[in-house]
Amino acid sequence: MDTASDDHQLFDVTPRPSLPERILALAADYTRHADLLADHRLTSPAKADQLTAPRRSAERLVRLSRDLLHEVTATFPRHNTAPRDAAARLRQLTHLSELAAAQLDGLQRTLEATGSPTTRSTAITAARGLTRLAAEDLAVCAYTVAGELRLRGIADHSGQALPLTATENDALAAIARGHVALTDPQRVPHVDARTPMAIEIVRTLTAQGLIEAVPIPREYDWRDQARLHVTESGRAHLVGLASLPAPTALPPARPLAAKPATAPAAGTAAPRR
């Protein structure tokens, strides 16, 4: 028995991603969830079990958001403005995610009880709208946390930043916010109908292993799409960029709402645990 080899495998554990990297990973999860809810087949579900995957996805996001909120609040002093704002965004998102999960749970319970399809359900629209800006807010949180970790001498991730161009950094930031999808057959990237992005940039970042394309449900029958997501290496770079003394090309912060939005009354129910 090769005990030396066994011992090496036993203790050769991949380091856990940093807190800001995990926040960026959650941003990607919210983008995947939004794409799942955009499936046109959900606007008139014929069976209750069609809502099982979206509901479970929403409930998972609630748990992950709450866990990261607790970690952020435990890491930084509460009286400091930047960490406090990051925690406020996570707290709002956790609350909105709970409301979204309740919408989906209520709709599924209704279908299970009545057995009749719901046409163009407002619950689907409400659930998607409640977390529509989740990826944007989480990106801001991740960059804020990365900068604060360096300022407080807790962790410096600036060494992870790669020598990319400003255009490439801007593209990565847009992708991290869930703004970029490739549409067949032209494979032309769309950046949330705002900023054009050259396909060459997409190919360059893909070749470097910083982004990947993930097929998404078709919002319309004639549109096949693939969402661009930042990979683990790409997230490490963005966090490194945010850890630099004077970070640039980071997405602007969305103003915090005075109070969280509320979901429509229809279809509400406590999320299943």
Side-chain angles (χ1 to χ4, degrees), residues 90-164:
L90 280 167
R91 189 173 293 106
Q92 284 185 353
L93 180 57
T94 301
H95 179 61
L96 294 174
S97 300
E98 289 173 341
L99 294 175
Q103 286 288 316
L104 296 172
D105 185 69
L107 177 59
Q108 186 172 32
R109 289 177 184 273
T110 299
L111 287 174
E112 289 174 342
T114 64
S116 61
T118 301
T119 303
R120 301 193 63 80
S121 170
T122 56
I124 298 294
T125 303
R128 193 181 186 203
L130 285 165
T131 57
R132 177 177 174 270
L133 298 176
E136 299 238 8
D137 279 352
L138 286 169
V140 173
C141 288
Y143 302 140
T144 299
V145 168
E148 287 295 314
L149 288 174
R150 183 192 64 81
L151 286 174
R152 302 185 183 285
I154 300 175
D156 185 357
H157 302 289
S158 58
Q160 299 175 173
L162 303 172
L164 301 185

Side-chain angles (χ1 to χ4, degrees), residues 45-232:
K47 298 180 180 178
D49 59 11
Q50 288 179 260
L51 295 164
T52 299
R55 177 182 57 77
R56 288 178 177 173
S57 173
E59 293 170 356
R60 173 179 174 271
L61 292 174
V62 171
R63 293 192 297 271
L64 292 176
S65 300
R66 187 183 296 117
D67 290 345
L68 287 175
L69 169 61
H70 291 164
E71 191 167 350
V72 168
T73 55
T75 301
F76 301 104
R78 294 187 178 183
H79 63 275
N80 294 101
T81 302
R84 188 175 63 226
D85 286 351
R89 292 179 187 279
L90 280 167
R91 189 173 293 106
Q92 284 185 353
L93 180 57
T94 301
H95 179 61
L96 294 174
S97 300
E98 289 173 341
L99 294 175
Q103 286 288 316
L104 296 172
D105 185 69
L107 177 59
Q108 186 172 32
R109 289 177 184 273
T110 299
L111 287 174
E112 289 174 342
T114 64
S116 61
T118 301
T119 303
R120 301 193 63 80
S121 170
T122 56
I124 298 294
T125 303
R128 193 181 186 203
L130 285 165
T131 57
R132 177 177 174 270
L133 298 176
E136 299 238 8
D137 279 352
L138 286 169
V140 173
C141 288
Y143 302 140
T144 299
V145 168
E148 287 295 314
L149 288 174
R150 183 192 64 81
L151 286 174
R152 302 185 183 285
I154 300 175
D156 185 357
H157 302 289
S158 58
Q160 299 175 173
L162 303 172
L164 301 185
T165 66
T167 301
E168 291 169 339
N169 285 331
D170 289 344
L172 273 176
I175 293 169
R177 298 196 301 271
H179 288 178
V180 189
L182 299 178
T183 303
D184 286 328
Q186 295 87 4
R187 304 293 288 180
V188 177
H190 294 273
V191 188
D192 208 30
R194 286 184 246 173
T195 307
M197 182 182 297
I199 191 64
E200 290 75 14
I201 292 293
V202 174
R203 291 169 179 162
T204 297
L205 295 175
T206 302
Q208 296 182 69
L210 300 177
I211 63 173
E212 61 182 353
V214 178
I216 60 177
R218 293 181 295 176
E219 188 169 1
Y220 304 103
D221 286 333
W222 62 88
R223 294 180 66 188
D224 289 331
Q225 292 184 313
R227 178 73 62 190
L228 292 185
H229 287 282
V230 179
T231 63
E232 184 175 346

